[in-house]
Amino acid sequence: MNAYGMARAFYEAYGIKSVVIGRAHLTPTQNSRILDFYEEPKLKEDFLAIMQRTAKKFAGQNLLLMGCGDDYVKLIIKNKDELVKDFTVPYINEELMDQILLKENFYEMCEKYNFSYPKTDIVTAENYENFSPDIQYPIILKASNSVEYWACSFPGKKKVFVAQDEAEKTAILKAIYASSYQDAMIVQEFIPGDDSYMRVLNAYIGTDGKAKLMCLGNPILEEHSPEGIGSYAAIITTYDKELMDQVKFFLEDIGFEGIANFDMKYDYRDGKYKLFEINLRNGRSSYYVTAAGYNLMQYVADDYMLGKKQDLVYADNEHLWTVIPNGVLFKYAQNPELKAKARQLIKEGKVTNSLFYKEDMNVTRYAKLTLNSLNYYRKYKKYFNKKGLS
């Protein structure tokens, strides 16, 4: 989904086709005329060799290399010294990545830059059997090293776990550490509130180290399937200058470069945003930025490839981005005010589903996307929990 959103943004800005390389060819990128897909089942294992082979295939062209997931971005950054021989690579260096990538390091940075974040503890493979968090239940459990976590497998695996009590916490950790994942787990307080209390912020920091774009989104609804928890399904762009100013200062001060993606949740108990993480890339839902009128990929390419001067923009256009049917959105979204705003934006034509692109539609693609979309009715009926504790 992220790859297609990026390819669509490039096509809208420049009319050029993107090359998408992945381990498997899934529905979002199938039957498309705006991208060429190359299936590489061993992309992670043979990453550098495949990238070098790709560069030879397109020799003589200026190539911009971007990752659509945490694991690929990490591989790009770790191999940056070699990759820059063939590609333009719009990512930070490995030293700064190591400061940010592990969540426990990131929370130390939060302290320094005065970001609020959930009460947090760390549990390891060595101490999990005797671990008792000093945090009131329910608690959140999530991997510190998301790359290693997605490589492991165990029964009942979820992107994020919620433990209601000590017994459930123990069972979750036992299952995790019986797998190949042996890195730390983050333990956090559960911030109350439905999906609409979440916020997502995408920022672009130029090659000159200065912020060029800040775009804040207010999710209306997240996905609730085990593999989709924490992934946004519908977002309305919003505006908060104070928050944008804070993020801008943070990114410029640490020497960030490229796209950063922040996930946070508004805590009505103290009126503060609690920051969960920063991703070193655009998120899966980041086409919401482009949909609102701020083409995120154009910011990258105009800067890195064309050397165009860019001024700072704080996005303030209201727009609804969604990947789910309206019937699902209005049945399961719980915030009446945002639902009303979503209806109004739909009425005004200010709505975009990044996968249903009229310039890239044919009978086969439309049929596949429609079936994929309708499947959300089944998934939400099976997994949705009004308490937000999926």
Side-chain angles (χ1 to χ4, degrees):
M1 188 177 295
N2 194 4
Y4 187 81
M6 293 166 74
R8 176 175 173 176
F10 280 120
Y11 190 82
E12 289 175 338
Y14 307 105
I16 61 172
K17 296 174 71 172
S18 297
V19 172
V20 179
I21 304 172
R23 288 174 295 160
H25 201 183
L26 305 179
T27 301
T29 52
Q30 291 176 359
N31 307 105
S32 170
R33 70 178 187 86
I34 68 168
L35 61 88
D36 291 319
F37 191 93
Y38 293 85
E39 190 167 330
E40 294 283 359
K42 294 187 177 181
L43 181 56
K44 288 185 180 179
E45 296 88 340
D46 302 329
F47 180 76
L48 182 58
I50 290 171
M51 290 299 100
Q52 290 172 332
R53 187 168 72 237
T54 302
K56 288 182 180 179
K57 181 179 179 66
F58 296 96
Q61 299 187 48
N62 293 326
L63 305 176
L64 175 66
L65 180 63
M66 302 192 70
C68 302
D70 292 329
D71 42 3
Y72 295 122
V73 170
K74 186 176 180 179
L75 285 167
I76 289 171
I77 293 174
K78 283 186 170 294
N79 292 281
K80 187 174 180 179
D81 288 346
E82 286 297 316
L83 291 169
V84 293
K85 297 175 183 177
D86 300 305
F87 299 91
T88 295
V89 182
Y91 293 98
I92 58 176
N93 58 40
E94 189 170 0
E95 182 181 358
L96 184 55
M97 177 185 75
D98 289 340
Q99 291 181 42
I100 297 173
L101 191 62
L102 293 180
K103 292 182 175 65
E104 57 264 40
N105 294 344
F106 177 62
Y107 295 125
E108 291 180 7
M109 299 178 78
C110 286
E111 291 283 353
K112 178 179 178 182
Y113 290 93
N114 201 32
F115 284 107
S116 296
Y117 60 92
K119 292 179 182 177
T120 302
D121 205 343
I122 305 293
V123 60
T124 67
E126 290 73 33
N127 71 359
Y128 80 93
E129 292 179 315
N130 301 312
F131 173 79
S132 183
D134 187 23
I135 302 172
Q136 184 176 349
Y137 285 96
I139 60 172
I140 299 289
L141 294 164
K142 56 187 178 182
S144 173
N145 190 329
S146 58
V147 175
E148 293 299 322
Y149 183 73
W150 281 115
C152 81
S153 178
F154 60 90
K157 181 181 176 182
K158 295 182 180 181
K159 183 178 178 181
V160 179
F161 289 93
V162 179
Q164 300 289 342
D165 51 37
E166 191 79 8
E168 193 170 2
K169 176 268 299 178
T170 300
I172 291 168
L173 290 176
K174 185 175 181 180
I176 291 170
Y177 284 121
S179 75
S180 61
Y181 184 81
Q182 298 297 301
D183 215 324
M185 292 292 295
I186 302 292
V187 182
Q188 288 183 332
E189 66 172 323
F190 178 80
I191 306 299
D194 62 45
D195 296 348
S196 67
Y197 285 83
M198 292 297 298
R199 298 291 187 275
V200 56
L201 193 154
N202 278 266
Y204 179 69
I205 309 298
T207 52
D208 61 359
K210 300 297 181 182
K212 307 302 179 183
L213 176 67
M214 295 276 157
C215 187
L216 182 64
N218 188 167
I220 311 176
L221 190 63
E222 294 183 1
E223 293 201 23
H224 284 256
S225 60
E227 73 281 0
I229 293 172
S231 296
Y232 306 121
I235 296 171
I236 292 177
T237 42
T238 187
Y239 184 86
D240 187 320
K241 185 178 185 301
E242 183 179 351
L243 178 61
M244 293 173 171
D245 284 343
Q246 187 179 14
V247 172
K248 172 182 177 293
F249 176 79
F250 165 69
L251 291 172
E252 290 181 347
D253 199 57
I254 66 172
F256 197 87
E257 185 177 321
I259 296 173
N261 172 264
F262 292 76
D263 290 308
M264 62 196 83
K265 191 170 186 179
Y266 179 75
D267 191 341
Y268 59 76
R269 298 171 300 181
D270 59 11
K272 296 179 179 179
Y273 291 110
K274 301 296 171 67
L275 193 57
F276 290 158
E277 63 183 350
I278 174 176
N279 295 306
L280 313 180
R281 58 175 177 85
N282 55 307
R284 191 191 77 144
S285 60
S286 293
Y287 189 84
Y288 83 85
V289 181
T290 300
Y294 312 91
N295 192 314
L296 190 56
M297 297 303 105
Q298 188 170 1
Y299 272 86
V300 180
D302 276 1
D303 186 17
Y304 277 89
M305 308 300 283
L306 303 179
K308 291 187 177 181
K309 183 180 182 299
Q310 298 170 321
D311 297 320
L312 173 61
V313 174
Y314 280 11
D316 59 1
N317 290 340
E318 281 192 336
H319 195 92
L320 171 63
W321 169 88
T322 178
V323 291
I324 55 176
N326 290 345
V328 172
L329 173 60
F330 293 115
K331 180 176 182 178
Y332 292 99
Q334 297 177 342
N335 187 310
E337 183 179 341
L338 286 181
K339 287 169 72 173
K341 187 178 289 292
R343 291 185 190 277
Q344 181 63 33
L345 290 170
I346 291 171
K347 184 178 179 181
E348 295 173 0
K350 298 177 180 179
V351 56
T352 302
N353 183 316
S354 46
L355 297 181
F356 285 84
Y357 180 31
K358 66 179 181 179
E359 300 296 326
D360 187 30
M361 198 56 66
N362 53 64
V363 173
T364 304
R365 179 170 175 81
Y366 181 79
K368 287 183 177 181
L369 290 177
T370 300
L371 288 173
N372 189 62
S373 182
L374 292 174
N375 191 41
Y376 279 110
Y377 284 98
R378 179 191 62 81
K379 290 200 290 186
Y380 275 88
K381 183 177 180 180
K382 181 176 182 180
Y383 294 113
F384 186 77
N385 183 331
K386 284 189 175 181
K387 294 180 181 179
L389 305 180
S390 300

